[in-house]
Amino acid sequence: MDGDGDGDGEPKGATTAVSPPWDELVSAALLGTDRRPAAGPPEELLDTAAIQTVRRRAGLVPAMAAGRPPAAPPDPRRAVPQAARRRLAQLLADRSAPAHAGGRRGTAPDLGELLPQWLALANERGMRAPAALLPALLDAARARTDLRPGALTFAGPRGLWLARHNPEWRFALRGASGSAALPDPGDTVGVQRLWQEGLFAERVAVLGAVRAHDPDAARALLAGTWSTERAEDRLMFLDSLRDGLSAADEPFLEGALADRSRNVRATAAELLSALPGSALAGRMARRAASCVSLDRTGDGAAIAVEAPHECDAEMQRDGIAPRPPGGRGERSWWLGQLVESAPLDSWPARLGGRTARAVVALPVTDGWGVELHAAWCRAAVRQGNAEWARALLGAPSQPPGEGAGTGSLAERAKLLSILPQEERAEWVARFISAHGLSEAFQLLGACVVPWAGALGRAVVDALEIARDAGSYPWSFSGVMGLAERCLDPSESPRLEALTAAPPEREGASPGAGSYWAEAFRRLVATLSLRLAMREELDARPPR
């Protein structure tokens, strides 16, 4: 013992009185000794607190070290080029929420909106996430649900491994698909082990892989544990049958019609109705045919509708929901569900052998036209019937709400989604040329990114027309933001001439010219950055 302290190890000058409890010392230090008196004069408070701190720390018992976790699984995908890796770090460092272009000012690209595109490009090229950036990637996906599918695919098996060690990343354990290290679909033992013991994300991934390899084996895998699965998991597993849906799935889906979960029953009925040859589709066709018929009593042919008067137990078993949402009548609600579940191929024989376009053009009596056409729209989307989609879309030059087909932009957007990519882009381009951009926002969302040449040119031309007309610029901010994400970067040279502020026109919105110039500069900068991202990801590694 040195000469600086007395026998009990206390420093010279320290009080020999019993020190106050730790909580009292903390309170006195925080509130001040005037408001919370402590033992001894105020100048000794910190010395006493220091002694107590040493005593508290000396009394701690070291915890047992936890076992080392197993090593992260390998990820055989190729590495991201160095320049692209730096770009990803830059995008992840910008943690701002997506701007959605709502009134955004400035000429700098919105990095938050470019991150999903970067991830999509990297996933298309089969690249793996840099290990050092996995924590930032998972943090970004936790904050933004729109990032999760692309981020978890890019994170791969190592991202899933890392998520197991941080409670804040639990979403990845249920939200990942295809990010686990899966056994070969033909490895029966490995597949069974993962199906019985794996996390939900791993089970979804292995079910999809086996279904792509051997649909019969995938159904057998699902049937083996179906009765013990949770309702929400049964729903997700059932939804995975959409890919590769075939007549061979019908017996399993028919059994799911008796499931104890209403959502599972409804999904099974929806899948069965997408199989035109299924027994359920036949039952729905007969019910719908009893409600919709050809009426020849007037001057010309028309469609007569007699909606159901009840929703019996058999209809409910086949997925017809008996209770309508607020604002809907029961009979129209039941009619819509019957028609959307009936095979579209059954209508020509029922309605005089007419083509889909001729059927849609027939007048509908008693004001049932909107309800009937809306149900046919849902049926066309569900059954992927392009012929009926074209008939219900009508001509792109036709003003919304006029003529045959649907006038709903939301329904048109869904119908467009089942047409070939080139056809839908051409249809929307012609729609924009005829009606401008004010009605086209929803339709643009149905088109594949990047927009095809004709569609991109139609959007740029319409924006230029709006600018030259002195239109209120903020009303086009949504389309401008969509163009930043969806225009082909090759359109950038055409936009350079629009980056200069036009002269103010009489009657134009104040400041419109400078706003348009700023928005076009931001658009050009964003397209240039998207082009750079693509080139960085395609760069070959140095030899």
Side-chain angles (χ1 to χ4, degrees):
M1 186 68 65
D2 59 35
D4 292 333
D6 53 24
D8 63 358
E10 300 271 355
K12 285 184 178 180
T15 179
T16 57
V18 177
S19 297
W22 175 254
D23 291 342
E24 292 184 13
L25 284 174
V26 172
S27 297
L30 291 175
L31 300 177
T33 55
D34 290 340
R35 298 178 59 189
R36 182 65 60 87
E43 57 269 16
E44 293 184 5
L45 175 64
L46 294 179
D47 287 340
T48 305
I51 295 170
Q52 287 281 52
T53 299
V54 173
R55 285 174 172 168
R56 286 168 61 86
R57 289 177 178 173
L60 291 177
V61 178
M64 294 294 294
R68 294 183 63 180
D75 190 338
R77 296 175 296 177
R78 64 190 181 96
V80 173
Q82 191 62 34
R85 177 175 174 167
R86 289 194 296 269
R87 180 75 66 189
L88 174 60
Q90 177 191 17
L91 297 177
L92 289 171
D94 185 273
R95 296 295 304 279
S96 60
H100 300 301
R104 184 162 55 91
R105 299 302 302 265
T107 60
D110 183 357
L111 299 184
E113 285 294 339
L114 290 176
L115 181 55
Q117 291 204 15
W118 193 99
L119 292 171
L121 291 170
N123 288 332
E124 288 172 6
R125 289 156 176 75
M127 294 178 170
R128 69 172 182 266
L133 295 180
L134 278 173
L137 181 65
L138 291 172
D139 278 342
R142 178 173 65 90
R144 287 180 54 182
T145 56
D146 63 308
L147 287 178
R148 290 181 184 180
L152 295 178
T153 298
F154 184 56
R158 294 188 298 180
L160 194 61
W161 173 88
L162 189 61
R164 294 191 182 100
H165 301 286
N166 186 342
E168 292 187 348
W169 298 332
R170 278 194 299 262
F171 70 89
L173 304 182
R174 290 191 62 84
S177 59
S179 61
L182 301 178
D184 185 274
D187 178 6
T188 306
V189 175
V191 165
Q192 279 289 346
R193 181 184 302 113
L194 189 60
W195 181 250
Q196 296 290 341
E197 303 173 2
L199 298 167
F200 178 77
E202 295 169 328
R203 300 180 72 210
V204 170
V206 77
L207 180 63
V210 174
R211 182 165 174 80
H213 174 73
D214 185 351
D216 293 338
R219 279 193 306 276
L221 194 69
L222 186 55
T225 60
W226 182 257
S227 61
T228 62
E229 303 287 356
R230 300 188 306 168
E232 56 266 38
D233 292 348
R234 292 200 305 277
L235 184 62
M236 292 292 291
F237 290 141
L238 196 63
D239 198 63
S240 69
L241 299 184
R242 293 183 190 276
D243 293 334
L245 184 67
S246 71
D249 297 314
E250 182 178 358
F252 181 83
L253 293 173
E254 276 284 344
L257 289 176
D259 194 89
R260 56 188 181 274
S261 166
R262 180 176 59 83
N263 290 332
V264 171
R265 295 195 302 271
T267 301
E270 179 188 344
L271 293 172
L272 283 167
S273 67
L275 295 171
S278 69
L280 179 137
R283 296 192 295 270
M284 291 299 193
R286 290 189 292 274
R287 291 174 180 133
S290 68
C291 299
V292 181
S293 61
L294 197 61
D295 182 3
R296 301 181 183 273
T297 59
D299 295 335
I303 296 177
V305 174
E306 179 67 26
H309 290 273
E310 65 173 341
C311 183
D312 58 33
E314 289 300 315
M315 289 170 61
Q316 294 182 44
R317 181 187 181 276
D318 284 346
I320 303 299
R323 295 184 178 179
R328 290 288 300 274
E330 284 185 336
R331 296 183 65 199
S332 64
W333 172 243
W334 300 333
L335 173 72
Q337 293 179 83
L338 290 178
V339 172
E340 73 178 89
S341 301
L344 289 165
D345 293 343
S346 66
W347 291 112
R350 177 67 176 167
L351 300 173
R354 290 171 170 80
T355 63
R357 196 175 299 275
V359 167
V360 171
L362 286 172
V364 182
T365 62
D366 299 328
W368 285 102
V370 172
E371 185 69 49
L372 184 60
H373 285 178
W376 277 336
C377 286
R378 296 191 295 273
V381 173
R382 183 181 296 186
Q383 298 170 33
N385 193 310
E387 179 190 4
W388 276 80
R390 295 184 186 100
L392 291 159
L393 275 168
S397 58
Q398 175 183 302
E402 296 184 12
T406 177
S408 165
L409 291 173
E411 289 172 358
R412 282 183 161 185
K414 292 177 182 178
L415 292 169
L416 283 168
S417 68
I418 64 175
L419 296 182
Q421 296 179 15
E422 298 81 3
E423 184 178 354
R424 78 179 82 156
E426 178 64 28
W427 196 97
V428 177
R430 291 166 58 196
F431 181 93
I432 291 172
S433 298
H435 310 293
L437 289 169
S438 59
E439 301 283 351
F441 189 80
Q442 283 181 287
L443 305 180
L444 287 168
C447 297
V448 176
V449 177
W451 291 334
L455 178 56
R457 289 190 294 273
V459 171
V460 173
D461 290 345
L463 287 171
E464 184 176 3
I465 291 171
R467 184 200 71 154
D468 294 344
S471 299
Y472 191 64
W474 292 272
S475 62
F476 292 90
S477 59
V479 175
M480 188 66 78
L482 201 58
E484 292 176 19
R485 301 190 294 275
C486 303
L487 264 179
D488 193 309
S490 63
E491 294 290 330
S492 181
R494 295 186 61 221
L495 297 164
E496 289 288 352
L498 302 177
T499 58
E504 293 288 346
R505 297 182 51 178
E506 184 178 352
S509 302
S514 60
Y515 181 96
W516 278 110
E518 183 181 273
F520 278 118
R521 290 191 200 108
R522 183 172 63 247
L523 178 56
V524 170
T526 302
L527 295 180
S528 299
L529 183 53
R530 285 175 52 205
L531 182 60
M533 284 164 37
R534 186 186 302 171
E535 292 173 346
E536 291 163 358
L537 284 165
D538 288 335
R540 294 186 177 181
R543 293 183 178 179

